[in-house]
């Protein structure tokens, strides 16, 4: 909601955004680790390097999108479960999708995803649920 030049956030948005901003430190650590990978200091297959890059990129992009979704969720007229899905779907996807990339490529010498690839797909479902719910909530507001 906007009042004059001040944007007011709901308590839910402030809390979720605050937690998400704190996760930026872990994404920074991931960036430092990525510099070690690309300099050849961490032995990985090409597949593992690609999944490490994808996991790191998804974390950063989805945390940023999740922050935007908090402001948009305050503009939608959703309540109950729909509000929670709209508000938490993208932040959950940031955790699950990046975690899925990392977990499914963990292990020595892997050249394809292991059984933990399901975490990535669970994150994709959370992303779809969150964005669809919020999008519809904004259109019917």
């Amino acid at each position: 909601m906007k009042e004059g030049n001040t944007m007011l956030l709901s308590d839910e948005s402030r809390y979720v955004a605050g937690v998400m901003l704190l996760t930026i430190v872990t994404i920074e650590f991931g960036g430092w680790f990525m510099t070690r990978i690309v300099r050849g200091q961490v032995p990985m297959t090409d597949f593992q390097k690609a999944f490490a890059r994808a996991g790191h990129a998804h974390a950063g992009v989805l945390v940023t999108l999740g922050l935007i979704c908090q402001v948009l969720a305050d503009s939608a007229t959703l309540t109950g479960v729909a509000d929670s899905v709209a508000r938490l779907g993208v932040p959950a996807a940031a955790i699950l999708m990046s975690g899925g990339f990392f977990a499914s490529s963990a292990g020595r010498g892997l050249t394809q995803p292991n059984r933990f690839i399901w975490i990535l797909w669970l994150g994709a479902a959370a992303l779809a649920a969150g964005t669809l719910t919020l999008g519809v909530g904004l259109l019917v507001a």
Side-chain angles (χ1 to χ4, degrees):
M1 299 185 160
K2 192 169 181 176
E3 203 172 278
N5 289 330
T6 303
M7 181 178 287
L8 301 175
L9 294 177
S10 66
D11 289 342
E12 295 87 357
S13 287
R14 282 188 306 103
Y15 179 76
V16 174
V19 171
M20 292 180 72
L21 286 168
L22 294 176
T23 69
I24 298 294
V25 175
T26 64
I27 298 169
E28 286 180 309
F29 175 78
W32 168 79
F33 188 69
M34 284 301 306
T35 64
R36 295 192 66 227
I37 292 170
V38 299
R39 289 184 291 176
Q41 296 173 338
V42 180
M44 289 186 161
T45 65
D46 287 341
F47 156 74
Q48 289 172 313
K49 289 176 187 176
F51 263 44
R53 284 186 186 106
H56 183 65
H58 277 77
V61 168
L62 291 175
V63 165
T64 302
L65 178 60
L67 288 167
I68 294 166
C69 287
Q70 300 315 302
V71 175
L72 294 174
D74 283 348
S75 296
T77 57
L78 298 168
T79 59
V81 173
D83 181 61
S84 295
V85 170
R87 204 174 283 286
L88 300 175
V90 175
I95 295 166
L96 293 167
M97 291 184 81
S98 59
F101 279 113
F102 298 135
S104 67
S105 63
R108 192 164 286 184
L110 290 184
T111 58
Q112 62 184 16
N114 64 29
R115 68 180 187 265
F116 294 112
I117 193 72
W118 66 268
I119 300 169
L120 171 63
W121 302 125
L122 184 60
L127 178 63
T131 55
L132 287 171
T133 303
L134 181 54
V136 169
L138 289 167
L139 290 173
V140 299

